[in-house]
Amino acid sequence: MHTGTTNQVANPNTVVWNSPGIWITYSILTAFMHLVLLSMPWFTTSVAWTLTNVVHGVGMYFFLHTIKGTPFETSDQGKYRYSTHWEQMDSGTQFTAARKFFMTTPIVLYILASFYSKYEFTHFVINTSILLLSLLPKLPQLHGVRLFGINKY
Amino acid sequence: ENGFKRPAKLQQMDSPLKQFQEDFEPTPLYMAIITYINYGVITLFGFLRDFLRKHGFEKNHASAEAGDMDGFVSLYASFENFYTRNIYNRLHDVFNRPICSAPGPVIKIMEREFSQSGWSYKFTGKVLDGIVNLGSYNYLGFAENSGVCAEASIKAIQQYGNGVCSSRCEVGNLDIHAELEEKMARYLDVDACVTFGMGFATNSMNIPCLVGKGCLILSDELNHASLVLGCRLSGANVTIFKHNDMKDLELKLRNAIVNGQPRGYRPWRKILIIVEGVYSMEGSIINLPEVLKLKKKYKAYVFLDEAHSIGALGATGRGVTEYFGIHPKEVDVMMGTFTKSFGAAGGYIAGTKSLVEHLRAKSHSACYATSMAPPVCRQILSSLEVISATEEGKRRIQKLASNCKMFRQGLKKLGFIVYGNDDSPVVPALIYSPCKVGAFSREMLSRGFGVVVVGFPATPIVEARVRFCISAALTEKNLQDALDAISSIGDILQIKYKK
């Protein structure tokens, strides 16, 4: 697994979410995480669902919008060193299938969490703020934007 | 002459000698899911270990910048080495194994002892002897330290010395170079040939001579780094077509010709299709008859890189053109290397006289790079002599073909998923999971076989594999023992996916 050899694409991070079976794996892992939370006896169903939504949203924000660059050396001379994983996906092309998948999963989880928490106010506030945290960084208008210089370099 | 008869007329393209077939079975879904989960768990633990190292709970063995660099932009991003630290280091003993013998059918490997999850190692002093070599590009078995070729090379050292100390354009043009180029041109049945000291540099220095700005290069997805570098250095526009996919190539050709250059829609000055004869990571052979059909239809040029196929394919080892029964004059630029089948170093480009004269004058490699060393030239000349004009050469080529067939059928019978063309000397067997990749290599070494494994990011994330390179020097017994070892490891690791 030489990290510096040539690949089919200069940066494998750009195409990893188009690999066969990865969407199913992602869904299975999210469902598994939810079942783990659901199985804890001190969480009610509402709390478990909201917690799933929160963990998913925070995890997604951390891995897709905070970490920059690639975990291996690429042969494109550091083109994506300051780009988050979301910006690297499909080399920056918007509205591809993988991006639509990642836009859909927070929405699906939000709908399920709202339903299972019976639309209570506290849960609503938490779920909606997590939804905004998941969706806003993915907007094409915010591609490459760093607010207040956070996470710039 | 060389004892090879060419058909008087150019071979008709409608009935090629060989029916083209290749096989790329897609990853089974359950295995893809398991592989992703593997990488996910390793990555999560990688983040955890990085966290522990950063905050001092675990000793950090990586190098760090000097402490008084406040306010300076950091020299390197430590995240770029995440993979090396957390994944590659765990498999460290599987790569870069030091060999202390000739890379023949049986090698000696120096044993290493790794410490601290792969951060450092030391040599134990023991040498593992009798390891069967399934990883070297020793297709015709010329990696020998005794025999006709070695004797001839030693005499060449006594005559010419070791080095040339000059480039071809200055004082480094020896008579042995001219002899080599003439013999190579006659072997390939083309007008002329020019050789260079380094195979990688042959591609990267000469593609810029052939194409430039305003030209289009259509390059296969899986082309080697030297071709990719040559394409980038040339300044031409590069379009990539899907591996061995002739429909995709035709579509891209048509689009390119119809649309012309990106801004201004002017017609392209030249269109060059760059393909390889045998792709070493996939074990596939290029669909050359179709490429030449497209070339004729759309008036493009073809650059064929025969690094792995010269000497290894074809009835007399003349490469992928002979394999398909095509006359080499149909390919505009034939490039190859002497590193694999000839057991030497360096590369050549062959074609029409005008092409070769142009390269001799304009190539950076010819002007600025040192020319090929005389013992290397003599090694190529003697191995060429053996391949083309002796019974021994014929025997080796036939042995390579029968070894390939036996090994590939053997692997398929055992139930492994094998990629590529049945006739290629490179046999990749898929393992998929990164953990099994490491385990496979270590188990093979403990049973006395040296193999090369590759994983992400050198291959796609779900296609980690072990790549066997068949050699004419391997005996039937070697290969049968290898197959038995692979079978027993395959049962332990559950990598016989076809069953």
Side-chain angles (χ1 to χ4, degrees):
Chain A
M1 277 118 130
H2 289 108
T3 46
T5 49
T6 186
N7 318 302
Q8 287 157 304
V9 288
N11 181 4
N13 254 356
T14 53
V15 293
V16 70
W17 293 103
N18 297 325
S19 310
I22 199 165
W23 292 8
I24 299 178
T25 312
Y26 182 85
S27 316
I28 290 175
L29 287 176
T30 318
F32 179 72
M33 185 250 298
H34 171 67
L35 286 176
V36 163
L37 288 172
L38 203 57
S39 65
M40 306 230 181
W42 53 86
F43 291 147
T44 61
T45 315
S46 323
V47 171
W49 274 103
T50 304
L51 211 50
T52 306
N53 200 11
V54 167
V55 170
H56 177 265
V58 169
M60 183 184 258
Y61 182 77
F62 176 68
F63 285 111
L64 288 186
H65 302 289
T66 312
I67 297 186
K68 295 193 297 294
T70 52
F72 32 73
E73 279 174 35
T74 55
S75 48
D76 60 3
Q77 300 176 315
K79 186 171 165 194
Y80 295 109
R81 214 166 269 157
Y82 299 123
S83 303
T84 59
H85 192 108
W86 178 257
E87 287 157 7
Q88 286 175 36
M89 251 198 245
D90 295 310
S91 320
T93 323
Q94 298 295 334
F95 310 118
T96 58
R99 285 178 184 243
K100 287 180 191 164
F101 174 72
F102 276 114
M103 284 285 227
T104 321
T105 36
I107 297 174
V108 166
L109 277 179
Y110 175 71
I111 293 174
L112 287 170
S114 305
F115 174 73
Y116 279 105
S117 60
K118 299 184 179 50
Y119 309 103
E120 281 165 13
F121 184 66
T122 336
H123 288 274
F124 166 73
V125 167
I126 299 175
N127 282 328
T128 312
S129 45
I130 288 292
L131 180 74
L132 288 175
L133 180 70
S134 302
L135 284 189
L136 288 179
K138 298 188 170 60
L139 292 175
Q141 287 75 17
L142 289 181
H143 180 92
V145 169
R146 304 276 185 264
L147 297 168
F148 310 115
I150 303 173
N151 210 18
K152 195 158 186 203
Y153 293 119
Chain B
E1 219 213 84
N2 282 350
F4 179 75
K5 288 182 181 46
R6 283 276 177 203
K9 283 207 295 257
L10 292 181
Q11 187 86 19
Q12 288 299 335
M13 206 63 75
D14 297 323
S15 55
L17 274 187
K18 214 43 172 213
Q19 278 308 111
F20 177 75
Q21 54 78 226
E22 63 179 10
D23 180 33
F24 289 108
E25 197 177 310
T27 314
L29 186 62
Y30 73 94
M31 209 51 226
I33 296 178
I34 292 175
T35 308
Y36 293 129
I37 297 178
N38 277 343
Y39 278 109
V41 170
I42 299 176
T43 312
L44 282 175
F45 271 90
F47 278 117
L48 173 69
R49 296 288 289 270
D50 274 351
F51 176 81
L52 294 177
R53 277 188 275 258
K54 188 168 169 196
H55 293 271
F57 297 109
E58 201 185 318
K59 188 159 183 291
N60 191 359
H61 299 284
S63 52
E65 295 176 43
D68 55 347
M69 290 297 202
D70 270 344
F72 282 79
V73 177
S74 53
L75 199 57
Y76 60 91
S78 68
F79 187 58
E80 246 179 22
N81 287 319
F82 180 90
Y83 204 83
T84 311
R85 276 199 302 272
N86 298 305
I87 304 180
Y88 184 81
N89 271 349
R90 295 178 171 283
L91 295 173
H92 223 167
D93 58 324
V94 151
F95 306 107
N96 298 344
R97 291 192 180 127
I99 297 178
C100 51
S101 68
V106 174
I107 51 176
K108 291 202 225 299
I109 296 183
M110 295 172 72
E111 201 189 27
R112 303 179 289 177
E113 195 185 284
F114 280 82
S115 53
Q116 300 161 335
S117 19
W119 281 103
S120 64
Y121 67 86
K122 56 181 190 300
F123 290 106
T124 59
K126 189 166 149 234
V127 171
L128 302 168
D129 202 349
I131 308 284
V132 174
N133 185 3
L134 292 168
S136 290
Y137 302 135
N138 186 18
Y139 297 133
L140 292 178
F142 281 109
E144 308 162 312
N145 53 7
S146 59
V148 171
C149 300
E151 299 294 317
S153 304
I154 293 171
K155 280 214 200 63
I157 299 180
Q158 285 160 355
Q159 183 186 352
Y160 291 98
N162 267 324
V164 187
C165 307
S166 190
S167 67
R168 291 296 291 276
C169 285
E170 297 167 7
V171 198
N173 194 8
L174 305 175
D175 59 345
I176 200 172
H177 294 132
E179 188 190 343
L180 172 61
E181 289 172 357
E182 197 219 339
K183 286 232 168 79
M184 201 64 201
R186 268 196 292 150
Y187 175 65
L188 295 170
D189 200 11
V190 286
D191 290 341
C193 170
V194 57
T195 55
F196 303 96
M198 184 177 164
F200 187 102
T202 308
N203 275 331
S204 56
M205 296 290 113
N206 289 310
I207 294 179
C209 279
L210 301 172
V211 285
K213 259 168 92 88
C215 301
L216 175 69
I217 297 178
L218 281 155
S219 150
D220 190 290
E221 220 180 1
L222 299 181
N223 272 343
H224 189 253
S226 54
L227 293 165
V228 172
L229 183 59
C231 294
R232 287 228 306 255
L233 285 175
S234 67
N237 288 57
V238 180
T239 305
I240 296 177
F241 64 93
K242 292 206 190 69
H243 176 60
N244 238 346
D245 188 347
M246 294 302 122
K247 289 203 179 42
D248 196 40
L249 174 59
E250 176 156 21
L251 182 69
K252 300 226 153 70
L253 262 171
R254 289 175 79 98
N255 279 343
I257 293 176
V258 162
N259 290 327
Q261 296 188 33
R263 278 182 284 264
Y265 304 105
R266 280 167 297 173
W268 295 104
R269 280 175 40 212
K270 237 184 294 202
I271 298 184
L272 182 65
I273 304 173
I274 300 189
V275 290
E276 286 188 39
V278 165
Y279 289 89
S280 68
M281 207 47 84
E282 305 285 308
S284 54
I285 300 180
I286 183 71
N287 193 350
L288 197 60
E290 289 297 319
V291 173
L292 293 177
K293 253 195 217 142
L294 286 176
K295 161 197 132 77
K296 285 202 175 75
K297 186 172 173 190
Y298 295 102
K299 312 255 186 318
Y301 295 103
V302 171
F303 182 107
L304 177 66
D305 178 346
E306 291 207 89
H308 287 270
S309 53
I310 189 75
L313 284 183
T316 59
R318 278 166 166 86
V320 71
T321 49
E322 191 191 6
Y323 173 76
F324 281 112
I326 299 169
H327 198 278
K329 282 201 172 40
E330 305 226 1
V331 179
D332 304 291
V333 188
M334 302 217 351
M335 179 262 170
T337 60
F338 299 119
T339 30
K340 281 88 185 179
S341 300
F342 296 91
Y348 67 87
I349 294 194
T352 56
K353 197 154 169 23
S354 53
L355 167 77
V356 168
E357 296 290 307
H358 171 79
L359 287 175
R360 266 196 246 267
K362 300 284 186 181
S363 166
H364 281 209
S365 213
C367 289
Y368 301 111
T370 316
S371 44
M372 207 187 269
V376 176
C377 292
R378 186 52 69 193
Q379 159 74 22
I380 303 168
L381 280 164
S382 41
S383 57
L384 193 57
E385 182 75 29
V386 170
I387 293 173
S388 58
T390 60
E391 282 303 312
E392 171 68 12
K394 276 206 203 83
R395 186 196 68 82
R396 286 185 191 225
I397 296 170
Q398 276 157 8
K399 186 95 174 80
L400 175 65
S402 65
N403 276 355
C404 285
K405 200 166 175 182
M406 177 224 172
F407 195 73
R408 203 177 256 270
Q409 309 293 23
L411 274 184
K412 282 192 176 156
K413 268 207 211 78
L414 288 175
F416 285 84
I417 295 183
V418 178
Y419 272 4
N421 197 315
D422 275 343
D423 297 307
S424 80
V426 176
V427 184
L430 284 251
I431 302 184
Y432 302 120
S433 163
C435 325
K436 294 188 185 180
V437 150
F440 186 88
S441 183
R442 289 176 187 136
E443 286 294 316
M444 284 297 271
L445 187 63
S446 70
R447 284 172 173 72
F449 297 92
V451 295
V452 170
V453 291
V454 264
F456 184 72
T459 60
I461 191 168
V462 278
E463 289 173 17
R465 64 195 70 174
V466 54
R467 186 191 65 182
F468 301 105
C469 289
I470 307 300
S471 163
L474 291 169
T475 59
E476 284 251 349
K477 181 173 180 312
N478 287 142
L479 290 177
Q480 196 49 55
D481 289 343
L483 284 170
D484 293 335
I486 294 168
S487 181
S488 74
I489 299 174
D491 286 324
I492 300 172
L493 292 177
Q494 299 279 313
I495 48 181
K496 293 183 176 174
Y497 297 110
K498 269 211 151 91
K499 292 223 171 113

